[in-house]
Amino acid sequence: MKTNRIYLILLIAITMIAVSCSEDFLDEKPMSSYAPETLTDEAGVEAALKGLHYNFGTIWTWAGRQGWNCVWQVGTDVCSPGGIEGVEIPFFKYEDLNSENGAVYYMWERCYLVINNANTALAAIGEDGDPEKIAEARFFRGYCYNILATLYGDVPLLVEATSSARTDLERTPVAQVNTQIIEDLKYAADNLPDITGTITESRANKHMAMQCLGEVYLRVDQPDLAETVLTKIINSGLFSLVEERYGIALDVDGDYFSDMFKFGNQRRSQGNSEAIWTFELEYTKNVAGGFTGAPQQRRNWVPAYHNVPGMTPYYDDVDDSFVHPYGGRGNGRMRPSNWVKYELYDDGDIRNSENNITRTFYYNSVGYNATWGVDANGYRVDKNSPNAVKVVEVHEGDTALIAASDTIEVAYPYTRKWDSFDPDDQWGWTNIKDFPMMRFGETYLLRAEARFKQNNTSGAAEDINVLRDRAFKAAREESGNSELGKVSSADIDLDFILDERARELFAEENRRMTLMRTGTLVERTALNTESTIKGTISGVSSNNLLFPIPLSEIQRNKDVQWDQNPGYN
């Protein structure tokens, strides 16, 4: 399974060359037979649609800046920096965020790449073409414009392929962009097949479009429409919450929540009844061109525990079925905030079990034994240190002693959602797991938000209790308390819903985008008060509810006047 036998590798080398690899999408000119005027046969259109999936994947598989994934989590309520790479620094030191930041530019450029490719495909299909093919292209266009509208506000609205450099593009008012997003997603929801009827399970389905549409309706303050479309997903009968163990790892420690994130368990065909959109990663190291990049999710989320003496990521004589006890080799570039680690979860919540957030390490180097000192706070020190209050002998299998400095990036409580281990690449350059883009648990959270915004707090509590019934199921059975973890309408406000999103979707959702969409970034970052290697979060203000417009785009469009978003140079 290490090569993830995935169909998407078929046309990577040729798909969507309609946009060349220059520095900026808006300057690019199609220079191949896949330009709109020639990409007209059925095979070419299919290549174009598959190319949308491939190019969308490049958004989240960027390895050029290893801190890319951290941008969307650190400096919020849920995450703090660990072993920083650099591109993420202005996203917790907000006073340094400017229009020349690499992450600000990369998201803009990648989204417009996908949008232009979608427009290219739509031109090839034609207005009278197959509605399902049109719907798949419009889904990606609407999805990427939703990202742009959330992050940048007014952006150029392009519904036709760009085939030559332009210097006169104008920023379209976000309300007009939103109208186009909704039109695209409604068309996709009406014309895509349901999740049981796609060509392959990774292709776009109507429920992906519906879930995104529900989120858009919330962003534009139309909660009644959001509730309607989300209820259709919930009532479809095609999805259910995972409440029993399943899949490939039944013989190892785990629980029914952690099973969803095991490599080999993530897809609908593998037993994940919550999967609405699982982006299938193209990990095919033996096939040239079969890989979108070197995803850094595991290296970002998993700590560098191998730097603790007596700890190792390496295991001899194991095969693809091996479930790594620590998730593979990590770099610890970001870590849960103290709020997540110590305040967020109630006792008995399975989402905080050791299977889902590991807090204890055990020496796993074969034959390891050593003598260490322990200081007054329980941290490891040299056995001869004047700070040692006792000296202990430790062995393989004992609880690992952690040094005080280890808590920055080496050893701390961490999510197991991004475990990824390839026995042929145990050093672990890249992540080999699919991406959980949308799942059914979030559908309830979005509908709870829609109901709350309509003053239906009892309905919101009902939706949240669906998730908490699952989360506290085992603890209720063990304690005999059938009400453990239940909430009432009196508990519901937007903060509670955002708390529950963190409990359910930690390390899955793009937390920064959620807080920007809900306008709560400033208030929520106040929950994260810890001091890290770069100090505390600083400089955050309401201006950060939008990103700066990339400076290169302002300079390029010299024939019109682009105003920068407020608060940025």
Side-chain angles (χ1 to χ4, degrees):
M1 190 167 64
K2 82 185 91 173
T3 58
N4 282 21
R5 294 176 287 274
I6 300 169
Y7 80 93
L8 283 177
I9 73 169
L10 295 174
L11 293 165
I12 288 170
I14 60 173
T15 50
M16 301 315 295
I17 307 174
V19 179
S20 64
C21 297
S22 69
E23 283 197 352
D24 191 89
F25 152 72
L26 297 177
D27 270 356
E28 294 171 5
K29 180 178 180 179
M31 296 296 291
S32 80
S33 61
Y34 287 90
E37 60 271 15
T38 57
L39 192 145
T40 55
D41 66 313
E42 184 175 348
V45 169
E46 184 66 6
L49 294 175
K50 289 180 180 179
L52 289 174
H53 290 262
Y54 171 78
N55 281 313
F56 178 81
T58 65
I59 296 176
W60 303 115
T61 58
W62 188 29
R65 300 302 300 267
Q66 290 185 24
W68 165 246
N69 292 298
C70 303
V71 164
W72 309 102
Q73 308 291 338
V74 301
T76 71
D77 49 356
V78 299
C79 274
S80 298
I84 56 175
E85 179 265 322
V87 74
E88 72 274 35
I89 292 174
F91 295 90
F92 59 90
K93 290 298 182 185
Y94 287 90
E95 62 272 19
D96 295 334
L97 184 57
N98 61 53
S99 60
E100 298 181 75
N101 176 266
V104 166
Y105 171 78
Y106 186 76
M107 180 59 88
W108 176 285
E109 185 268 340
R110 287 289 99 181
C111 282
Y112 273 113
L113 173 77
V114 175
I115 288 165
N116 198 50
N117 289 351
N119 288 335
T120 298
L122 288 168
I125 298 165
E127 293 182 2
D128 298 325
D130 185 341
E132 185 176 320
K133 290 180 169 58
I134 294 171
E136 189 161 23
R138 291 188 71 170
F139 166 75
F140 278 104
R141 186 172 70 183
Y143 190 95
C144 286
Y145 264 124
N146 183 48
I147 292 175
L148 291 168
T150 303
L151 297 180
Y152 303 94
D154 299 347
V155 296
L157 179 60
L158 305 174
V159 293
E160 296 181 357
T162 298
S163 58
S164 61
R166 291 181 58 182
T167 58
D168 61 346
L169 292 171
E170 297 189 22
R171 293 178 68 186
T172 306
V174 70
Q176 186 176 337
V177 177
N178 289 336
T179 297
Q180 184 64 52
I181 293 168
I182 291 169
E183 288 178 1
D184 280 345
L185 295 176
K186 286 176 69 175
Y187 186 95
D190 289 342
N191 291 282
L192 284 170
D194 72 33
I195 197 166
T196 65
T198 56
I199 300 171
T200 62
E201 66 180 308
S202 65
R203 294 291 286 270
N205 65 70
K206 68 167 61 256
H207 305 101
M208 291 160 54
M210 293 163 71
Q211 184 116 320
C212 186
L213 182 58
E215 182 181 305
V216 173
Y217 280 141
L218 287 171
R219 180 171 59 79
V220 301
D221 198 25
Q222 294 182 305
D224 55 330
L225 298 179
E227 181 177 4
T228 297
V229 71
L230 295 165
T231 297
K232 288 179 181 178
I233 300 174
I234 291 169
N235 291 345
S236 70
L238 295 171
F239 307 95
S240 61
L241 296 185
V242 171
E243 297 191 46
E244 301 293 338
R245 295 210 62 191
Y246 74 94
I248 65 168
L250 294 177
D251 58 344
V252 300
D253 288 343
D255 53 50
Y256 48 82
F257 191 79
S258 67
D259 277 345
M260 286 190 288
F261 306 99
K262 293 285 195 304
F263 182 55
N265 274 8
Q266 295 176 273
R267 303 176 189 176
R268 185 178 177 87
S269 63
Q270 296 168 336
N272 185 357
S273 60
E274 290 193 42
I276 295 176
W277 182 12
T278 301
F279 183 84
E280 296 183 0
L281 184 63
E282 306 160 31
Y283 184 67
T284 54
K285 60 178 176 290
N286 296 320
V287 181
F291 192 39
T292 62
Q296 298 295 298
Q297 279 81 353
R298 185 205 64 253
R299 298 180 87 202
N300 278 266
W301 286 105
V302 176
Y305 61 86
H306 54 278
N307 289 325
V308 175
M311 296 290 297
T312 179
Y314 302 109
Y315 282 83
D316 296 329
D317 303 318
V318 295
D319 59 22
D320 292 341
S321 65
F322 177 70
V323 178
H324 196 290
Y326 295 106
R329 180 181 177 274
N331 280 351
R333 295 207 179 279
M334 59 180 160
R335 54 199 175 89
S337 65
N338 285 341
W339 175 71
V340 169
K341 289 183 289 191
Y342 307 122
E343 301 178 42
L344 179 60
Y345 295 95
D346 296 328
D347 291 343
D349 192 330
I350 200 169
R351 297 168 297 190
N352 190 37
S353 74
E354 190 74 11
N355 300 311
N356 293 295
I357 298 180
T358 289
R359 298 170 181 270
T360 306
F361 300 85
Y362 299 91
Y363 293 117
N364 66 334
S365 292
V366 176
Y368 180 73
N369 64 84
T371 302
W372 290 103
V374 179
D375 70 13
N377 295 314
Y379 289 117
R380 185 188 76 243
V381 294
D382 187 84
K383 64 183 179 181
N384 297 317
S385 171
N387 295 322
V389 297
K390 65 178 179 179
V391 174
V392 297
E393 186 174 346
V394 295
H395 306 274
E396 178 188 357
D398 291 345
T399 301
L401 295 173
I402 306 302
S405 59
D406 289 344
T407 59
I408 298 296
E409 59 185 288
V410 172
Y412 48 78
Y414 68 103
T415 180
R416 303 305 301 272
K417 289 181 177 179
W418 287 103
D419 290 8
S420 174
F421 180 73
D422 178 359
D424 292 334
D425 177 27
Q426 297 197 27
W427 186 81
W429 164 244
T430 187
N431 176 74
I432 61 172
K433 289 182 76 169
D434 297 337
F435 300 164
M437 299 298 300
M438 294 180 187
R439 64 177 174 89
F440 193 46
E442 186 180 11
T443 314
Y444 283 102
L445 288 161
L446 290 169
R447 191 173 74 169
E449 185 180 338
R451 288 176 162 179
F452 164 73
K453 287 187 171 183
Q454 298 173 85
N455 298 314
N456 181 7
T457 54
S458 61
E462 178 183 318
D463 280 341
I464 287 175
N465 277 327
V466 171
L467 298 179
R468 292 176 78 83
D469 287 345
R470 187 256 297 274
F472 289 87
K473 175 184 174 182
R476 289 175 184 175
E477 292 173 354
E478 184 177 345
S479 68
N481 180 2
S482 62
E483 298 298 305
L484 185 66
K486 279 192 178 294
V487 298
S488 70
S489 59
D491 297 310
I492 303 301
D493 58 18
L494 183 57
D495 276 324
F496 189 89
I497 293 169
L498 291 170
D499 289 353
E500 196 67 20
R501 285 187 67 91
R503 285 184 276 264
E504 180 73 19
L505 301 173
F506 179 65
E508 293 175 75
E509 73 167 332
N510 184 316
R511 188 61 170 182
R512 181 172 298 282
M513 283 188 62
T514 293
L515 300 184
M516 292 171 75
R517 171 180 67 79
T518 56
T520 58
L521 178 67
V522 178
E523 302 95 299
R524 297 294 300 190
T525 56
L527 296 171
N528 186 352
T529 60
E530 65 186 296
S531 183
T532 68
I533 192 169
K534 287 286 187 177
T536 58
I537 296 171
S538 61
V540 64
S541 75
S542 60
N543 292 327
N544 303 124
L545 292 174
L546 291 177
F547 279 1
I549 301 298
L551 178 62
S552 59
E553 297 305 307
I554 295 175
Q555 293 174 334
R556 184 168 290 108
N557 286 280
K558 60 184 178 60
D559 295 335
V560 292
Q561 176 65 43
W562 280 29
D563 293 327
Q564 181 57 273
N565 281 336
Y568 300 105
N569 295 325

